[in-house]
């Protein structure tokens, strides 16, 4: 990769987006925990992931760091979170299926 591509790939908005993707796994592990605290932490982290969705877009615009990779990562993070949350909520019988 050339310098300008590498800078776009490792921008703050992309760091936030990749962090959101990784936190989805934390939400799943906590959601299947045995205590109420673990379930509450899963919910809080899921909300933080959603706030992160706003934050990465805001940073990309404010810092002028929008990139094609960031756009794809953002959409992927959104779909992964939505899909995983629906599956976990249904599996835990927290929503009707």
């Amino acid at each position: 990769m050339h310098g300008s591509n590498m800078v776009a790939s490792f921008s703050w908005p992309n760091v936030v987006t990749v962090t959101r993707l990784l936190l989805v796994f934390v939400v799943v592990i906590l959601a299947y925990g045995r205590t109420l605290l673990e379930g509450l932490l899963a919910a809080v982290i899921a909300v933080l992931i959603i706030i992160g969705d706003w934050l990465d877009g805001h940073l990309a615009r404010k810092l002028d760091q929008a990139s094609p990779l960031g756009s794809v990562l953002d959409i992927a993070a959104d779909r992964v979170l939505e899909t995983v949350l629906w599956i976990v909520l249904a599996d835990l019988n927290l929503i009707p299926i």
Side-chain angles (χ1 to χ4, degrees), residues 12-13 15-18 23 31 35-37 43 45 48-53 57 61 65 67 70 74 79 83-84 89:
W12 282 113
V15 169
V16 172
T17 302
V18 170
L23 284 174
T35 67
L36 178 62
L37 179 59
I45 294 171
L48 291 175
I49 292 170
I50 293 166
I51 292 169
D53 186 23
R61 290 184 295 278
Q65 292 183 342
S67 68
D74 184 56
R79 297 301 87 81
T83 303
V84 168
L89 289 172

Side-chain angles (χ1 to χ4, degrees), residues 19-51:
T19 302
R20 287 173 48 221
L21 274 167
L22 295 174
L23 284 174
V24 170
F25 296 104
V26 175
V27 168
V28 171
I29 290 167
L30 289 171
Y32 285 101
R34 297 179 190 266
T35 67
L36 178 62
L37 179 59
E38 290 170 317
L40 291 173
L41 282 173
V44 168
I45 294 171
V47 169
L48 291 175
I49 292 170
I50 293 166
I51 292 169

